Amino acid sequence: MENIETLKSQTLAAVAAAADLKALEEIRVATLGKKGSVTELMKGLAALTPEEKKEAGKGLNVLKTEIEAALDARRAALAEAELNAKLVSEKVDVTLPVRPENQGRIHPVSKIYEEVAAIFGEMGFEVAEGPDIEDQFHNFNALNTPANHPARQMQDTFYIPNPESDNFDDSYVVRTQTSAVQIRTMETKRPPIRIIAPGRTYRSDYDATHTPMFHQVEGLVIDKNITMAHLKGCLYDFVKAFFELDELPVRYRPSYFPFTEPSAEMDIGCKKTKTELKIGAGNDWLEILGCGMVHPNVLRAGGIDPDEYQGFAFGMGMDRLAMLKYGIPDLRTFFESDVRWLKHYGFVPLDTSSMTGGLSNNGGAAR
Ligand code: DAH
């Protein structure tokens, strides 16, 4: 028994002194391994009488448990020390300024998103969202555009088969317009409603001003006694704030959308020359958005009584807004993920947009 005590104190001292996991493993093998000292002592029990065996066996089991516990504790302590050393060696000082050449940039579409949300946020609008993959009910039917309605041909829709149905009317779509969020909002909110819904939209189209995925922002206001005057005032304030101009001529042209009646398109004044487009007073007009008074059928589809409530809605392309405001000529370049492009047209991350601090005053990185 005496050598058990010696073995114990020697082993525990070695464990405490082990400098790394490898040294610890060596101690384990030398004591508890197949040919280890404790294992050998246990084998020696066979030669003892039953009485002696009981006594000695107990002592050896206690020793084994103690060694195992010491190994586990030391292993945990070493692992923690190793992690701490790693954390110290990899420490990053987040308060250091970023080298300009390494700094990321905010994509122009994200910037427009921020600007639009800042302007409408100030007017009391909330941001609403809906899924990119929609059913035809939300993207079309509930927006007064049933199957075989000619207006469906206005949009080159990507359809997605419904694995549970062979009926084409049950197939899904990647939403062609954020207008779908109008219906989703009415399904979950009661008036007064004042939302904008920015997001991705999809159509089969590709040239300098069209990409299969693009971004729209939808607006919807529903309350009692809402008139077209509210629509005009709201959008007039928006375009002036957005283009950061005190004066900006606007006009509304009659148009057609299935989900609004009457429908209009809003133009802003501009001056077009061969090489330049200048937003503001001038002899030319530029179409900027579609809008109108929410069609009673749409209110009904959203579970709102059109005899009690009215509303207006509008929708516009955010990428197009970015092209106009920041003079970016080709939409396809937006989605090519070319870092040089982003460095040129992108924005400094900390320059957030607000109505009080300026929308884009702090300027794009390149301007
Ligand atoms: N969804 C239309 C489009 O993609 C845009 C639009 C027009 C939205 C009029 C509206 C609206 O909410 O009232 O072409």
Side-chain angles (χ1 to χ4, degrees):
M1 279 304 111
E2 207 173 277
N3 55 355
I4 286 194
E5 280 309 312
T6 324
L7 182 58
K8 177 177 156 182
S9 59
Q10 279 175 356
T11 308
L12 294 187
V15 169
D20 53 30
L21 294 172
K22 190 165 162 270
L24 215 52
E25 179 61 9
E26 277 164 13
I27 298 168
R28 189 193 67 79
V29 172
T31 52
L32 307 178
K34 255 191 201 153
K35 294 198 171 126
S37 46
V38 177
T39 316
E40 291 299 329
L41 287 175
M42 284 189 154
K43 282 185 200 157
L45 291 176
L48 303 181
T49 68
E51 286 302 298
E52 291 168 327
K53 206 187 267 179
K54 205 173 161 193
E55 183 69 13
K58 210 168 148 193
L60 282 176
N61 272 333
V62 170
L63 173 65
K64 188 176 166 206
T65 317
E66 279 178 339
I67 295 177
E68 275 170 352
L71 284 169
D72 285 347
R74 184 75 188 139
R75 201 173 288 124
L78 285 173
E80 195 183 324
E82 207 170 283
L83 179 64
N84 283 340
K86 194 165 175 228
L87 289 176
V88 169
S89 74
E90 291 177 1
K91 187 176 162 194
V92 176
D93 183 353
V94 292
T95 64
L96 282 177
V98 181
R99 291 207 176 91
E101 68 273 23
N102 292 342
Q103 194 174 41
R105 289 284 187 275
I106 300 292
H107 193 284
V109 174
S110 303
K111 186 70 178 170
I112 296 296
Y113 183 127
E114 272 182 22
E115 294 181 13
V116 169
I119 298 169
F120 284 107
E122 192 83 356
M123 296 192 212
F125 284 64
E126 286 172 63
V127 172
E129 285 183 325
D132 285 21
I133 297 176
E134 263 299 4
D135 48 45
Q136 294 185 45
F137 175 78
H138 290 91
N139 194 79
F140 289 127
N141 302 50
L143 289 162
N144 200 29
T145 323
N148 68 43
H149 188 290
R152 283 219 187 181
Q153 256 101 63
M154 287 162 77
Q155 302 177 351
D156 299 300
T157 310
F158 289 117
Y159 288 89
I160 302 177
N162 181 339
E164 271 151 31
S165 167
D166 290 335
N167 186 346
F168 182 74
D169 291 342
D170 294 332
S171 45
Y172 294 101
V173 299
V174 269
R175 67 179 176 196
T176 58
Q177 46 189 357
T178 44
S179 306
V181 186
Q182 289 192 25
I183 305 301
R184 296 221 166 251
T185 305
M186 290 186 228
E187 284 170 345
T188 53
K189 266 171 110 70
R190 291 297 89 197
I193 290 173
R194 231 180 284 148
I195 57 112
I196 55 163
R200 291 195 186 105
T201 44
Y202 306 83
R203 287 180 205 175
S204 180
D205 218 345
Y206 188 70
D207 59 37
T209 51
H210 297 89
T211 50
M213 186 283 300
F214 59 109
H215 299 84
Q216 285 189 336
V217 58
E218 192 78 12
L220 176 69
V221 171
I222 298 176
D223 205 343
K224 290 183 173 158
N225 305 318
I226 293 288
T227 71
M228 200 130 183
H230 294 117
L231 174 156
K232 290 174 75 177
C234 172
L235 293 176
Y236 183 50
D237 281 352
F238 166 71
V239 289
K240 279 194 303 177
F242 179 77
F243 287 104
E244 299 174 58
L245 293 169
D246 294 332
E247 294 291 332
L248 179 58
V250 301
R251 73 175 183 189
Y252 295 85
R253 277 178 295 104
S255 183
Y256 174 77
F257 300 102
F259 32 84
T260 42
E261 180 59 38
S263 304
E265 275 168 318
M266 183 190 196
D267 294 345
I268 54 173
C270 65
K271 208 162 109 187
K272 290 179 190 165
T273 66
K274 271 217 176 79
T275 52
E276 218 193 7
L277 173 74
K278 194 167 173 291
I279 310 266
N283 292 326
D284 303 302
W285 294 101
L286 189 70
E287 182 208 322
I288 191 93
L289 55 82
C291 57
M293 301 306 291
V294 181
H295 196 292
N297 286 349
V298 175
L299 291 170
R300 261 181 228 118
I304 292 174
D305 180 358
D307 291 329
E308 199 179 345
Y309 291 100
Q310 305 75 42
F312 69 82
F314 55 89
M316 58 196 142
M318 286 207 285
D319 322 82
R320 194 170 133 75
L321 289 178
M323 292 171 82
L324 291 173
K325 184 162 179 180
Y326 295 115
I328 312 173
D330 191 327
L331 182 57
R332 290 168 294 201
T333 58
F334 278 52
F335 310 117
E336 282 170 358
S337 301
D338 186 331
V339 164
R340 294 162 302 179
W341 182 90
L342 193 57
K343 269 198 172 146
H344 182 74
Y345 286 114
F347 294 82
V348 177
L350 294 176
D351 292 348
T352 46
S353 302
S354 77
M355 287 301 283
T356 44
L359 279 183
S360 62
N361 288 356
N362 304 329
R367 268 137 292 199

